[in-house]
Amino acid sequence: GMVKYRELKLKRRKVNSLLREFAKLKPAEYKKWTKEDKIAFWLNTYNLKMLKIIIDNYPIRGSKWLLLLWGPNNIRHIDRDIDGIKEQKLIVMDEEFTLAGIERRLFYKEFNEPRIFLALSQASLSSPKLRNEPYTGPNLDKQLDEQAKSFLSSSRGLVIDREKKRVYISAIFDPSWYGRYFIDKYGTGKKFKEHPPSVRAVLNFITNYIPEREISFLQTQYYSVRYINYNWNINE
């Protein structure tokens, strides 16, 4: 899931050329596609645009005091310098979008598929891994399941401390980030009753991708849920 940004920057013309293909796609053609094809298309669009934003602002620079605060490899320097990574524009089907707009309009509302959030690259070390292949409609279900299982098997996604009765989950599951978008599909009132609705939904989702022993702990033990500190250093 790591990226050789220095080498990718040398191929910027190819990246730009590919993004122009997204711009030229006809809406009438897009409407014929399956839901899986559409999700795959927008995931590839989002991740490719994220790569372009990073290489356009690479190597990372920052003010002296922020370099001391965040360190030299933190993508928050880029976010600050360009007034928001997710607010950068791209053209898709001859319409203006931003990464934030894609999330709001499609990933939050239209598709109702929370596994998407484990397929989006935030270009950082705590982000779910960037796959070394594009998403495709026929393989989407398998690819999204692989993303979820990989992320939740890593210390970036889930850590269970049985001794201290604590469960640590990625900050992307926080309700203020993506956590609340798991409620519609994975919300439950039958299990994890001592936790708020968004946490119950996330825990219910997680039990689909972890070993039986960990499922048993999550479903039958009392524990606190905490969020893992997010590492914004670049995934280089």
Side-chain angles (χ1 to χ4, degrees):
M2 306 295 270
V3 181
K4 296 180 178 179
Y5 287 106
R6 193 176 303 279
E7 293 182 21
L8 187 62
K9 190 178 181 76
L10 299 176
K11 300 179 181 180
R12 188 159 42 186
R13 286 187 179 181
K14 289 186 177 181
V15 175
N16 292 338
S17 176
L18 182 54
L19 280 169
R20 285 195 291 272
E21 294 300 314
F22 289 77
K24 292 187 288 186
L25 177 66
K26 301 299 182 185
E29 177 66 23
Y30 173 81
K31 288 179 182 178
K32 298 176 186 176
W33 294 357
T34 65
K35 177 183 176 181
E36 290 74 21
D37 284 331
K38 291 175 179 177
I39 291 174
F41 172 79
W42 286 108
L43 279 173
N44 294 331
T45 303
Y46 188 105
N47 287 339
L48 185 66
K49 178 61 176 179
M50 179 66 77
L51 288 172
K52 175 173 166 53
I53 292 169
I54 300 301
I55 62 176
D56 283 348
N57 295 276
Y58 183 91
I60 294 176
R61 298 179 178 85
S63 64
K64 289 183 179 180
W65 72 272
L66 284 178
L67 285 169
L68 291 172
L69 179 64
W70 291 338
N73 299 315
N74 197 301
I75 69 165
R76 286 180 291 183
H77 296 299
I78 294 176
D79 189 69
R80 181 177 182 272
D81 288 345
I82 63 175
D83 295 323
I85 286 175
K86 292 191 177 183
E87 298 303 324
Q88 302 309 297
K89 295 180 182 179
L90 70 158
I91 302 297
V92 182
M93 290 182 278
D94 201 34
E95 181 178 349
E96 177 186 303
F97 287 86
T98 64
L99 296 185
I102 292 172
E103 289 187 13
R104 287 192 299 268
R105 176 170 159 183
L106 299 156
F107 298 156
Y108 295 170
K109 296 179 180 179
E110 182 174 329
F111 294 134
N112 190 28
E113 177 47 84
R115 291 179 298 171
I116 287 173
F117 304 124
L118 305 188
L120 299 179
S121 173
Q122 308 295 336
S124 57
L125 291 180
S126 285
S127 169
K129 286 184 179 179
L130 180 68
R131 294 179 76 88
N132 63 354
E133 64 181 9
Y135 290 94
T136 61
N139 295 318
L140 183 69
D141 192 58
K142 178 175 179 286
Q143 289 176 314
L144 292 182
D145 273 347
E146 288 175 352
Q147 285 294 115
K149 190 171 184 178
S150 172
F151 188 58
L152 293 169
S153 67
S154 74
S155 58
R156 294 171 294 118
L158 172 69
V159 176
I160 297 177
D161 188 331
R162 288 174 171 79
E163 185 177 335
K164 295 182 178 179
K165 299 286 187 179
R166 294 174 184 170
V167 172
Y168 298 88
I169 56 178
S170 169
I172 71 172
F173 292 123
D174 189 298
S176 64
W177 200 337
Y178 296 136
R180 64 189 183 276
Y181 300 108
F182 286 78
I183 294 175
D184 189 43
K185 194 167 185 177
Y186 294 98
T188 178
K190 296 181 179 181
K191 296 179 288 187
F192 319 112
K193 293 181 179 180
E194 68 273 24
H195 300 289
S198 63
V199 176
R200 290 202 302 267
V202 167
L203 292 172
N204 196 30
F205 167 78
I206 288 173
T207 58
N208 291 287
Y209 298 100
I210 59 177
E212 189 62 39
R213 180 170 177 261
E214 295 180 349
I215 294 173
S216 178
F217 180 88
L218 292 184
Q219 292 182 342
T220 64
Q221 300 297 314
Y222 287 97
Y223 49 85
S224 63
V225 174
R226 303 188 181 190
Y227 296 101
I228 300 167
N229 289 334
Y230 201 89
N231 186 342
W232 284 105
N233 283 343
I234 193 169
N235 60 336
E236 183 175 29

